[in-house]
Amino acid sequence: MPKNRHAPRLVTGLRPLPAGTGVDAHRHDEHQIVYAGRGVLSVTTGAGSWIAPATRALWIPAGTVHEHRAHGDTDLHLVGLPVRDNPLRLDRPAVLKVGPLLRELILAYTERPDGRGAERRRLRAVLLDELRRSPEQPLHVPAATDPRLVAVCALLRADPADQRTLAQLGATAGVSDRTLTRLCRTEFGMSFPQWRTQLRLHHALRLLAEDTPVTVVAHRCGWASSSAFIDVFRRAFGHTPGAHRDRH
């Protein structure tokens, strides 16, 4: 991550972000919930990147150096929580499922950030309860540290549609597929095909946020057909790419 600024307290509220803009690397002394009520938001740290459409929210623990990026015009809803309030018991970033009730709680809490009194305390208490019940979602593209794996990952980040096998990619970087398989398990905690699928889903969300047709998204992200892309997308997000685009 580049040099970052320190913003001790996170201001709870709503921040519109035009497409392609973001917030450069920074950290807070508070935990935060980040939610894109409109658009798609990605968060990057030294450990990788996470992405969240409007059916997902991002948990960022206090002290984590991170940067935001908006894909499509995005409404950024920010909820700051004191360090003592960690309803998820997580010390790393995570993507959380957002149901209808949690969505409305986040919107209400951030769109009226200056509220005071018992009503706001009750709203906050229910919001924390819903967060505790929100399952974590596997929408993380881990970042490599070993130079050999970094080189291979860079090839796929530049072109997610690259269809070369791990052995073919490794030959380009001068490393065997057996070594790369071991590095993926050690550094990512997942297989190479799983990592590549996560990367392609991240890229697909960005393209859909730009109103790219589903067939084009499937092609640019490396799926053999639109139906194959739709199937993977539905299993990851619970709805089709077309429904996703209509929602956002």
Side-chain angles (χ1 to χ4, degrees):
M1 295 288 289
K3 184 177 180 181
N4 63 87
R5 59 185 173 83
H6 179 210
R9 182 174 180 273
L10 174 73
V11 177
T12 294
L14 168 62
R15 179 174 180 178
L17 288 179
T21 64
V23 182
D24 292 335
H26 62 287
R27 59 187 171 90
H28 306 287
D29 293 340
E30 297 181 324
H31 304 307
Q32 63 175 304
I33 296 294
V34 185
Y35 175 67
R38 177 175 64 111
V40 172
L41 182 75
S42 63
V43 168
T44 301
T45 76
S49 59
W50 292 256
I51 195 162
T55 54
R56 305 291 187 269
L58 290 151
W59 165 261
I60 304 174
T64 303
V65 178
H66 62 285
E67 58 185 48
H68 304 296
R69 191 63 49 191
H71 306 285
D73 291 335
T74 300
D75 288 340
L76 185 61
H77 296 263
L78 301 167
V79 178
L81 298 174
V83 174
R84 66 178 182 274
D85 290 334
N86 187 339
L88 303 170
R89 305 281 190 239
L90 290 176
D91 59 0
R92 55 174 172 75
V95 176
L96 307 172
K97 184 175 181 179
V98 174
L101 177 56
L102 181 55
R103 170 184 166 83
E104 294 305 317
L105 288 167
I106 293 174
L107 296 183
Y109 195 75
T110 56
E111 290 173 355
R112 299 192 299 272
D114 298 327
R116 296 289 186 271
E119 180 182 355
R120 186 160 180 82
R121 288 194 297 271
R122 289 194 299 269
L123 179 60
R124 184 177 181 278
V126 178
L127 173 57
L128 293 180
D129 283 342
E130 283 301 302
L131 284 173
R132 292 185 186 96
R133 288 193 282 265
S134 298
E136 187 174 346
Q137 305 292 299
L139 290 173
H140 176 208
V141 179
T145 58
D146 186 287
R148 296 165 294 180
L149 188 55
V150 169
V152 170
C153 291
L155 295 173
L156 295 177
R157 289 183 186 277
D159 180 15
D162 192 326
Q163 297 291 350
R164 282 179 289 179
T165 65
L166 189 58
Q168 292 169 328
L169 292 166
T172 302
V175 58
S176 71
D177 59 335
R178 178 175 296 181
T179 297
L180 288 173
T181 297
R182 174 178 55 79
L183 288 172
C184 284
R185 285 296 183 186
T186 301
E187 296 202 11
F188 298 157
M190 63 179 70
S191 69
F192 172 73
Q194 288 171 326
W195 184 89
R196 176 145 60 180
T197 297
Q198 290 298 307
L199 177 71
R200 287 175 170 175
L201 284 172
H202 278 225
H203 192 57
L205 285 173
R206 295 183 184 119
L207 292 174
L208 289 170
E210 298 168 358
D211 289 330
T212 307
V214 171
T215 53
V216 176
V217 174
H219 173 72
R220 290 185 185 176
C221 294
W223 274 282
S225 65
S226 296
S227 60
F229 166 50
I230 291 169
D231 181 60
V232 173
F233 193 94
R234 183 190 287 113
R235 283 189 275 115
F237 299 105
H239 53 262
T240 66
H244 170 88
R245 190 172 56 187
D246 291 341
R247 291 183 182 189
H248 300 289

